[in-house]
Amino acid sequence: MTTTAHLPDHPATATDGHALRRMQFGWYINDWANAAFSATVLTVFLGPYLTSVAKNAADAAGDVHPLGLTIRAGSFFPYTVSFSVLLSVAVMLLTGTVADRTGRHKELMCGFAYVGAIATMGMFLLGGDRYLLGGALLVVANIAYAVSVALSYAYLPALAAPDERDAVSSKGWAYGYAGGGLLLIANLALFEGHDALGLSSGTAVRICLASAGLWWALFTIVPMLRLPSRAGAAPERAATGDGPAATGSLRELARTLRGMRQYPLTLLYLGAFLCYNDGIQTVVSQASLYGSEELGMDQTSLVIAVLLVQIVAIGGALLLGRIARRHGAKRTVLGSLVGWVLTLALGYLMPAHQPVWFFALACMIGLVLGGSQALSRSLFSHLIPAGREAEYFSVYKVSDRGTSWMGPLVFGLAYQITGSYRSAIISLLVFFVIGFAVLLKVPVRRAIEAVGNPVPERL
């Protein structure tokens, strides 16, 4: 098997600090690139726009009938997000195993990024009653996004020493929010000036959606040039060469899923994360839908609110990273979950047609969003056996950054049953309460020792 260059097993001992910083920058820019899809597509424009397209295709009862099913047009977007994640689970797990086995982390990461970028650019074709085309493009783009980001996460253990991971992870999230926010500013200017440009509001939205794909494709060139093929130390099993990569990877995937039972504390942490982060991601992906349909916010107010989230999240990620340096990542994440509960309560009680209150809610989300996710990522990186980064982060990515499925399903069902988005948003409280309770019980130090990794000074 051909040997590929890989990162040093312990970055703190690397002699070439410039090379390490170069790779870190490439990793940060990967977040900068793909955040455009998360912010512009999932968080702002696609939810309300695809819902309006579905309503154009709805019957007299307000229902659409994809694949012969009967669902409310207002539930089509969250159901589609949930469906895309169910499909992405198998794709992520298999791709992560192939990456660890072959050492082609970068090639697979960038390949899926370009598939997602092309599907996102294809959203320019949406319009009229083409809700099925919109659903199909969303499924392809969201699966590609999930796989690409999971593979990028696998680089973290080799990019920073144990005591530096919280800071590096937080900086990556800050780059992501900065990149996503910058594109949103450009999209806000386009949307606000669409009349002067002779564009309809729908055409302006479709250009904004396509711009996210173009941004994603353009900036993915940087990690392609700066990251090595392999994300971490090559495990011994990758050099056996026993049969075709895909066949061997299927066997490895089965062994990985069975092998996870050897690390029950890692699984306990993963269970806590999958629960509370499903709630986080549902709030993020459905906030624009809630704002437009329940609170009566116009498209301009929605974009301004998401811009506030992006801007405040930069400071929030860096602030919570500094707090974690003093008080430990686990305590800081637990505190952020309390903040999420308060945020949901405010969202439920918020009066309609009051943009100031909606902007206040956006600031609260931004304050806890970046830090809770960045610290969760760095904390999990300590709980992974060496050489299995992509496999484990593929499982982790099941509920990260726009790929949750339980939350959108609960959100969609709550609206399907009650017809109220307020009931849908408050139903998400259960994810934060259960996630907090489970995380509280995780003995992180023992979990790190169990997988054989060095324990950071503060947890």
Side-chain angles (χ1 to χ4, degrees), residues 214-234:
L214 183 61
W215 178 283
W216 190 1
L218 178 64
F219 285 103
T220 295
I221 294 172
V222 178
M224 282 181 64
L225 295 176
R226 294 204 170 193
L227 290 175
S229 286
R230 183 174 288 281

Side-chain angles (χ1 to χ4, degrees), residues 11-211:
T13 62
T15 56
D16 191 349
H18 174 73
L20 180 59
R21 288 191 297 273
R22 177 181 172 85
M23 290 184 287
Q24 287 175 340
F25 180 74
W27 191 70
Y28 297 150
I29 293 299
N30 193 64
D31 265 4
W32 171 286
N34 60 46
F37 174 77
S38 177
T40 291
V41 178
L42 288 180
T43 307
V44 180
F45 288 106
L46 188 59
Y49 185 71
L50 187 54
T51 299
S52 70
V53 173
K55 287 181 177 179
N56 289 339
D59 58 22
D63 296 329
V64 289
H65 307 277
L67 304 178
L69 302 173
T70 299
I71 63 174
R72 285 179 180 262
S75 293
F76 180 71
F77 175 70
Y79 281 168
T80 304
V81 172
S82 184
F83 177 69
S84 72
V85 175
L86 289 174
L87 292 180
S88 72
V89 172
V91 180
M92 283 191 294
L93 290 173
L94 181 59
T95 306
T97 308
V98 170
D100 283 338
R101 180 178 177 81
T102 64
R104 300 291 183 181
H105 294 82
K106 181 177 71 175
E107 290 82 353
L108 288 167
M109 179 185 79
C110 295
F112 275 97
Y114 279 106
V115 169
I118 292 169
T120 304
M121 286 187 277
M123 292 177 185
F124 179 78
L125 301 175
L126 299 183
D129 59 357
R130 297 178 183 172
Y131 77 100
L132 288 176
L133 174 62
L137 291 173
L138 172 57
V139 168
V140 172
N142 210 26
I143 291 174
Y145 170 80
V147 176
S148 178
V149 174
L151 292 171
S152 76
Y153 285 4
Y155 281 91
L156 180 58
L159 285 172
D163 288 316
E164 298 170 351
R165 277 184 212 164
D166 289 344
V168 170
S169 183
S170 296
K171 192 172 181 180
W173 279 95
Y175 264 82
Y177 288 119
L182 184 60
L183 181 62
L184 271 180
I185 291 173
N187 284 332
L188 175 60
L190 172 65
F191 185 81
E192 284 296 291
H194 69 267
D195 285 333
L197 296 171
L199 302 173
S200 67
S201 61
T203 301
V205 169
R206 290 188 286 116
I207 291 173
C208 291
L209 291 171
S211 73

Side-chain angles (χ1 to χ4, degrees), residues 325-370:
R325 192 173 296 177
R326 174 174 294 185
H327 299 287
K330 178 183 174 181
R331 292 188 186 92
T332 307
V333 172
L334 287 171
S336 75
L337 296 183
V338 175
W340 276 108
V341 170
L342 296 175
T343 300
L344 272 184
L346 175 62
Y348 176 76
L349 298 172
M350 183 172 296
H353 308 289
Q354 297 290 330
V356 173
W357 282 101
F358 191 60
F359 297 156
L361 180 66
C363 290
M364 290 182 65
I365 291 174
L367 187 61
V368 291
L369 176 62

Side-chain angles (χ1 to χ4, degrees), residues 394-439:
S394 293
V395 179
Y396 176 94
K397 188 66 185 69
V398 168
S399 181
D400 187 34
R401 221 172 177 181
T403 59
S404 59
W405 69 273
M406 292 182 292
L409 182 60
V410 169
F411 186 93
L413 285 172
Y415 179 77
Q416 179 92 13
I417 294 169
T418 68
S420 168
Y421 284 109
R422 290 188 188 271
S423 298
I425 202 72
I426 204 65
S427 69
L428 302 177
L429 272 177
V430 64
F431 293 98
F432 295 98
V433 173
I434 295 175
F436 181 96
V438 176
L439 179 60

Side-chain angles (χ1 to χ4, degrees), residues 231-266:
E236 290 182 3
R237 67 185 186 284
T240 58
D242 55 343
T247 303
S249 296
L250 285 171
R251 289 195 295 267
E252 285 297 328
L253 174 58
R255 281 197 287 267
T256 295
L257 295 175
R258 289 194 302 268
M260 284 183 174
R261 292 179 294 182
Q262 300 175 19
Y263 308 109
L265 298 180
T266 297

